[in-house]
C-alpha cells in the first residue's frame, strides 16, 4: 500500500484547500461582482435601473435553471473534471462580458456565465462531502463560498465548538 510522507500530505492538503477556495471565488465573483457597478453600467449604456438590473437577473435565472442538472453531469463525467472544465469554460463568457459594447450583449454573456457557474459551486460542495471527514465539512463549505473570513464556523471549530460559544455569552 502507498503511504504518503507528512510533507507531501501537507502539500496535498494545502492544494485541496486552495482548489476549493478558488472554485468558490470563481463562482461567486462572477455572479455577484456586477452589482457594485450597476450605476456605472446604467450611465455607460444610457439605460434605466430596471434594464441594467437584468444583468444580475439573467445570470441568477440561468444558475437556477442549470443547477439541478449539474450533479447528474458530474456523476457521469467526474466531479474534478466538471469543476476544472467549468473554470476554463467560464473564461469565455467572462471575457466577452468585458468586451461587450451593448447592454444586450452584456446580458447575453451574463446568461451564459450563469449557465456555467453551477458546476463550480454545486459540484464543489458535493466534492467537499466526498473528500473531507464530516467534522471538517462546514469549515470547507465556508471556504468554498468565500465566507470563511466572516462566518463563525471556522471560529467555532478553533475555540471548542458551540458549547464554548454559549458559555461566553453567544459571541464567537
Amino acid at each position: 500500500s502507498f503511504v504518503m510522507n507528512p510533507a507531501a500530505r501537507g502539500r496535498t492538503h494545502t492544494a485541496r484547500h486552495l482548489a476549493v477556495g478558488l472554485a468558490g471565488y470563481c463562482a461567486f465573483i462572477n455572479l455577484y461582482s456586477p452589482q457594485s457597478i450597476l450605476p456605472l453600467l446604467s450611465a455607460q449604456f444610457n439605460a434605466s435601473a430596471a434594464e441594467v438590473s437584468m444583468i444580475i437577473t439573467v445570470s441568477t435565472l440561468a444558475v437556477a435553471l442549470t443547477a439541478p442538472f449539474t450533479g447528474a453531469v458530474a456523476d457521469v463525467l467526474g466531479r474534478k473534471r466538471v469543476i476544472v472544465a467549468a473554470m476554463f469554460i467560464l473564461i469565455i463568457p467572462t471575457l466577452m462580458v468585458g468586451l461587450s459594447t451593448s447592454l444586450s450583449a452584456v446580458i447575453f454573456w451574463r446568461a451564459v456565465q450563469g449557465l456555467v457557474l453551477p458546476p463550480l459551486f454545486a459540484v464543489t460542495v458535493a466534492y467537499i462531502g466526498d473528500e473531507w471527514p464530516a467534522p471538517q465539512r462546514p469549515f470547507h463549505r465556508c471556504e468554498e463560498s468565500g465566507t470563511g473570513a466572516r462566518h463563525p464556523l471556522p471560529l467555532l471549530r478553533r475555540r471548542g465548538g458551540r458549547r464554548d460559544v454559549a458559555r461566553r455569552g453567544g459571541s464567537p
Side-chain angles (χ1 to χ4, degrees), residues 20-151:
V20 166
L22 184 61
Y25 178 80
C26 286
F28 292 111
I29 195 73
N30 279 291
L31 189 59
Y32 297 119
S33 63
Q35 288 179 340
S36 62
I37 61 167
L38 288 177
L40 255 111
L41 294 172
S42 181
Q44 174 71 29
F45 295 118
N46 196 22
S48 70
E51 291 170 320
V52 173
S53 70
M54 288 300 293
I55 292 170
I56 304 300
T57 303
V58 297
S59 59
T60 305
L61 182 61
V63 165
L65 293 173
T66 309
F69 307 106
T70 59
V73 171
D75 287 344
V76 171
L77 300 176
R79 289 190 175 126
K80 289 180 190 177
R81 185 177 295 159
V82 168
I83 292 167
V84 171
M87 283 182 152
F88 282 108
I89 292 168
L90 188 58
I91 292 169
I92 297 165
T94 301
L95 286 174
M96 295 309 294
V97 165
L99 297 173
S100 295
T101 58
S102 70
L103 182 59
S104 59
V106 172
I107 290 170
F108 171 79
W109 288 111
R110 289 284 297 160
V112 174
Q113 273 185 324
L115 296 172
V116 179
L117 289 173
L120 288 178
F121 55 84
V123 177
T124 300
V125 170
Y127 174 78
I128 291 167
D130 285 349
E131 295 292 319
W132 275 279
Q136 294 178 6
R137 288 180 194 154
F139 172 74
H140 294 295
R141 287 192 182 122
C142 294
E143 186 176 81
E144 180 267 337
S145 67
T147 61
R150 62 183 182 275
H151 200 283

